[in-house]
Amino acid sequence: MKQIPAPFWTLVLGIVVTLVSLWVGQNHNLLPEQASEQAPLVDDLFNVMMTIGTALFIVVQGAIVYSLIRFRQPKGDETDGLPIEGNLPLEAFWTAIPAVIVVGLGLYSVVVFQEMGGFSPGGHHGHGAMVAMAPQQSVIDIAPLVAQAAAADEDIFSKTQVYGFGASPLVQMNQPDVTVNVTGMQFAWIFRYPDTGITDGELHIPVGKDVQLKIEAQDVIHSFWVPQFRLKQDALPGEPGELRFVATREGTYPVVCAELCGSYHGAMRTQVIVHSPKDYADWVASRVAEATPTTTVAQPAETATDAEYLAGIAPDLAKSPVQIAQMTSMSH
């Protein structure tokens, strides 16, 4: 039987590696469900990287295993192997291929970042309105911080966003359907709806609507991250950031602080609830009705418990046993 030429085997192995890599790149199931229009952009980039990574892994590991078998030391052979050094074409090949891959992925990631609004026209770091950083305080001081943040909203969030995920070029001139001012503080997220005056410890948004989040930090650096949306934006004191997206799936998704921000960083979690348009309208109506003053009973602030005081400004946040436990422990 005539020996099969090496180029044929190289071609066959190349096809097999390509097919396996493409399958793994599309079927890894490593990412959570997609819940925003921006999520497929990130997933496509991740799938490409998974495909390339799988191919490189198979080629490198395959070459090692082949060499271990093909060039293993024969039994009883104590001589040294043939010295091999200097192969300029091979060195040029394995330098050029990674360079092309890195440049290609870099350009692709820039395109994705741009489509998600990563580069706001005319904006750059340092043009935001600078505000005084609040001194380090315990969680029990969250109420003054909330009040201070509310007073600063008009100045901070009225500025043009300067960097981060803003509106993509396609929607830059369009007004969002819902705008929410987001303030990160140790160790909670506060969401304010400027159109209705609602303040909440959870983010409520309608499905299929253009949502704009104006993100600020009250004390230290935080990072607003919703894995199902594939969106993450740092929250910096005095430096407004922005996220703009459209949720595509109703449900409840976690909001995680992705920046180590202090002792209770791990507990700085809340959730985003994506409603149907009708349910969202009902939620807004119910919250506005709750805020309508009826009979006010004066209660000295110094006699109120942490939970009672927080319930007046962020009812849902006050329901969190973790937050209340933290406040109680740090106040004693």
Side-chain angles (χ1 to χ4, degrees):
M1 180 177 178
K2 189 176 180 180
Q3 185 176 8
I4 300 176
F8 175 80
W9 286 114
T10 303
L11 177 62
V12 172
L13 291 175
I15 294 174
V16 172
V17 170
T18 301
L19 293 177
V20 171
S21 301
L22 289 174
W23 185 87
V24 173
Q26 300 297 322
N27 299 277
H28 51 77
N29 297 322
L30 295 177
L31 299 174
E33 62 178 325
Q34 299 175 347
S36 75
E37 287 187 354
Q38 288 69 27
L41 298 173
V42 178
D43 287 7
D44 289 344
L45 174 60
F46 186 80
N47 291 343
V48 170
M49 291 191 292
M50 278 296 298
T51 300
I52 295 174
T54 301
L56 292 176
F57 178 83
I58 294 176
V59 170
V60 172
Q61 298 302 317
I64 292 175
V65 172
Y66 174 79
S67 299
L68 289 174
I69 298 174
R70 176 67 177 81
F71 304 107
R72 68 185 184 278
Q73 186 181 35
K75 192 173 183 179
D77 184 1
E78 300 296 337
T79 60
D80 295 333
L82 295 176
I84 300 175
E85 61 181 26
N87 190 326
L88 182 59
L90 181 59
E91 293 176 359
F93 177 77
W94 72 41
T95 301
I97 294 301
V100 171
I101 292 174
V102 170
V103 172
L105 288 177
L107 294 175
Y108 187 13
S109 64
V110 169
V111 172
V112 172
F113 193 59
Q114 176 71 358
E115 290 184 15
M116 297 175 68
F119 301 112
S120 299
H124 61 83
H125 186 80
H127 274 197
M130 298 300 295
V131 298
M133 180 183 298
Q136 290 290 330
Q137 300 187 40
S138 63
V139 177
I140 194 63
D141 293 322
I142 185 174
L145 293 178
V146 171
Q148 182 181 350
D153 274 359
E154 291 297 326
D155 292 333
I156 295 175
F157 294 120
S158 62
K159 301 295 182 182
T160 301
Q161 301 304 312
V162 293
Y163 68 96
F165 288 131
S168 72
L170 298 177
V171 297
Q172 183 69 35
M173 302 305 296
N174 298 331
Q175 290 297 320
D177 298 312
V178 178
T179 298
V180 184
N181 295 337
V182 182
T183 301
M185 61 181 65
Q186 292 175 315
F187 298 93
W189 295 103
I190 302 297
F191 303 95
R192 297 186 185 84
Y193 296 74
D195 294 337
T196 59
I198 295 174
T199 299
D200 205 293
E202 296 176 336
L203 176 61
H204 294 256
I205 57 174
V207 68
K209 299 296 183 181
D210 186 1
V211 177
Q212 181 187 42
L213 302 183
K214 296 182 176 180
I215 302 175
E216 245 282 336
Q218 185 64 43
D219 36 39
V220 300
I221 299 175
H222 303 280
S223 189
F224 183 90
W225 180 34
V226 182
Q228 284 75 11
F229 291 173
R230 311 291 193 271
L231 293 174
K232 184 166 75 71
Q233 175 63 282
D234 286 346
L236 308 177
E239 292 283 350
E242 184 183 64
L243 281 177
R244 193 158 170 176
F245 60 93
V246 177
T248 56
R249 187 188 298 268
E250 295 179 33
T252 301
Y253 309 103
V255 176
V256 181
C257 178
E259 192 76 38
L260 182 60
C261 59
S263 302
Y264 292 99
H265 158 73
M268 188 172 172
R269 290 171 175 265
T270 183
Q271 55 189 9
V272 51
I273 301 172
V274 182
H275 299 277
S276 66
K278 180 180 181 303
D279 290 344
Y280 178 74
D282 292 342
W283 176 80
V284 171
S286 65
R287 292 305 308 273
V288 172
E290 290 177 3
T292 301
T294 53
T295 302
T296 303
V297 178
Q299 183 179 18
E302 59 272 15
T303 61
T305 65
D306 298 333
E308 290 170 345
Y309 192 83
L310 191 59
I313 54 176
D316 291 336
L317 181 62
K319 297 174 184 176
S320 170
V322 174
Q323 297 286 349
I324 294 176
Q326 291 172 358
M327 291 189 296
T328 303
S329 63
M330 296 187 69
S331 63
H332 297 290

